[in-house]
Amino acid sequence: MTPRVRFAPSPTGYFHVGSARTSLFNWLYARQHGGTFVLRIEDTDAERGREEWLEGIITAMAWLGLEADEGPFRQSSFEPRHRELADKLYESGYLYACDCTRDAIDERTKDRKTPGYDGYCRDRGVARSATTGLRFRTPDAGETVVHDIIRGDVSFPHEAMEDFMAVKSSGAPLFPLANMIDDREMEISHVIRGEDLLPTAPKQILMWQALNEIDRDLPLPSYAHLPMLVNEQRKKLSKRKDPVAVESYRDKGYLPQAFVNYLALLGWAPKGDEEMLTLDQLVEQFELSDVNHAPAFFDIAKMTHINGEYIRAMDVDEFIAASQPWMEPLADAWAPADHEIPWTPEQFDEDKWRAIAPMVQERITMLSEIPAMVDFLFLENPRFDEAAVTKVLVNDADAERILEQAIAAFTDAEFQAEALHGLLTSLSESMDLKLRKTQAPIRVALTGSSVGPPLFESMVILGRDEVLRRLNAALVVARG
Ligand code: GLU
């Protein structure tokens, strides 16, 4: 039988990098075994769920290239079946009604060593009503073993397991029950999900086995609980404190292929030295049983480095196409959030952008860095970095003579990068200055900044007239 896996996110927030990793590992497993990847949106938490989060999941998965073979299904549409099977479990005695309040339970159990519910209503024969929830009667002795592909056998002694709630007093089935029923109904063979759900697994196995007795007899799925993601302080990634939203990475200009590649390295490593792997290579090499159970460090610096490598590996047309949302967004196309393009559509010059693009590609790690690096080409005047202006134009006594001589030399120079380089080199020698030193005021005059694409190539793209105009303007500043 070919595997059937599912990704079952809850739309209760931005799509989290951890969820993206879970989605990827399910997708990879399905692809490499010729299996089926099902997308099931667990939307039963009406209070916390939002339609826009759901959209966010679908869009992010499409961006990452993780398309589902079946779905998206909405868990809420299966609720009648959840209720039907909950009733069956109740009628067969696997679930019992409980009318205890939280306070009453806390009061009774405050001195007990084992946490959780004390079984008070187990044999009280409480009638089911609008104020009773339903609890699962866990066996008194023995244990439930979760055979986990990543962690091996994890045993949960029944003594330590409480009679957990399966249905709320409102009649709504709770997550462990609904989620397990859907896995049964969809005949899921492998449950691959985050390790925060490992404690839920024995409850689900017990309920699954109960349903095997009174409903269809179905084989238990295999489990694989993926290691949690931690930040630099080795603390669990926090939704509030850490940048965890996949869309924020898209907005910054991470490439989907780089992002997916990095996600694959969270808890797994290829056998060879090559860490840059395409989706196809990942499908070939990924091994679920080789996933490590130790927490995985979500290393943004490493991911950024990988992104830079991917950017450099693109051919220039691909790079230009990928950069489009940051440069000249098309009407109705996706545009990154919080990104303001510094030039108007009329100022943007496609030819200049093409000319500088290969040099920009070598110097960035995220696409969102591009505009600040090339805006001097499109704006009437560069946006000046005040600190740089003060340092190399205002406070540097050499600035004036450098600019004067540069203007004189460039006025009838051949406007070609190597020739300009040679010219400024000999000019530096004649002034007894290092080339770096003579470049500094020229670069700030032309680009507004002391860092950026190579100077001489930039000068060629700007053209002689514009170069001379900007150098003259800077000379006025240098003269004070
Ligand atoms: N909906 C659950 C969550 O987002 C995941 C359920 C599962 O994968 O079993 O945490």
Side-chain angles (χ1 to χ4, degrees), residues 84-105:
E84 183 189 332
L85 289 177
D87 288 348
K88 255 183 153 171
L89 285 167
Y90 173 68
E91 282 150 21
S92 326
Y94 287 103
L95 301 181
Y96 64 84
C98 167
D99 60 2
C100 295
T101 61
R102 186 77 256 157
D103 289 348
I105 300 170

Side-chain angles (χ1 to χ4, degrees), residues 181-225:
I181 290 174
D182 290 345
D183 286 345
R184 286 175 61 86
E185 301 287 305
M186 294 177 163
E187 303 195 1
I188 296 301
S189 62
H190 293 73
V191 169
I192 305 168
R193 60 184 179 187
E195 80 169 357
D196 51 320
L197 291 164
L198 181 60
T200 310
K203 299 177 188 175
Q204 296 189 307
I205 291 174
L206 285 170
M207 292 191 289
W208 187 297
Q209 287 163 338
L211 285 176
N212 278 353
E213 300 295 322
I214 59 174
D215 195 64
R216 284 195 295 162
D217 187 5
L218 293 166
L220 275 171
S222 300
Y223 290 94
H225 288 92

